Amino acid sequence: MGATTALTAPASAAADATPQEACGSGYKTVNSAPVGSLGTVYLTYNSSNGKNCVATIRNNPGTAVDMSAWVFVPDTEEQDEDYGRYTSYAGPTYVYGKGHCIDWGGSIGNVYVQV
């Protein structure tokens, strides 16, 4: 039982991850999309530097699973992506997006979202 308690504390701390923790304190959430029931992919923007950031955050952190976060600016073809096995979140990914439309998305396991 003591081992369960020890494992629960880090997982619940990781569950409190926010887009601002992943991207930085100057980033404000401008949109989000659920990744099934597994988590959420967040699009954030920093008005002081004109950059967008995307992070995919799991609802229930734990064993590492395949995850991704990506962002693309069609006008400039600038892109950033992060694919890997993570316990809590994928990203951050950054592009300069001021004045541009942004394509973005992410995945957790085999559930993919594109916005």
Side-chain angles (χ1 to χ4, degrees):
M1 190 170 220
T4 304
T5 303
L7 294 174
T8 304
S12 59
D16 295 331
T18 66
Q20 289 69 34
E21 288 172 339
C23 294
S25 61
Y27 287 82
K28 305 294 183 209
T29 300
V30 294
N31 204 345
S32 65
V35 184
S37 61
L38 302 174
T40 305
V41 58
Y42 294 92
L43 173 67
T44 65
Y45 181 72
N46 185 325
S47 59
S48 67
N49 65 15
K51 289 190 175 184
N52 287 94
C53 174
V54 173
T56 303
I57 301 176
R58 289 170 62 178
N59 289 339
N60 298 301
T63 304
V65 298
D66 290 333
M67 295 181 67
S68 69
W70 59 269
V71 60
F72 176 69
V73 183
D75 293 351
T76 64
E77 296 188 359
E78 184 179 357
Q79 66 181 2
D80 192 14
E81 57 190 29
D82 181 28
Y83 294 90
R85 293 183 63 80
Y86 300 105
T87 58
S88 181
Y89 65 87
T93 58
Y94 299 96
V95 294
Y96 181 80
K98 185 174 184 177
H100 298 283
C101 291
I102 304 292
D103 292 336
W104 55 281
S107 65
I108 302 172
N110 63 355
V111 181
Y112 298 84
V113 174
Q114 179 175 338
V115 184

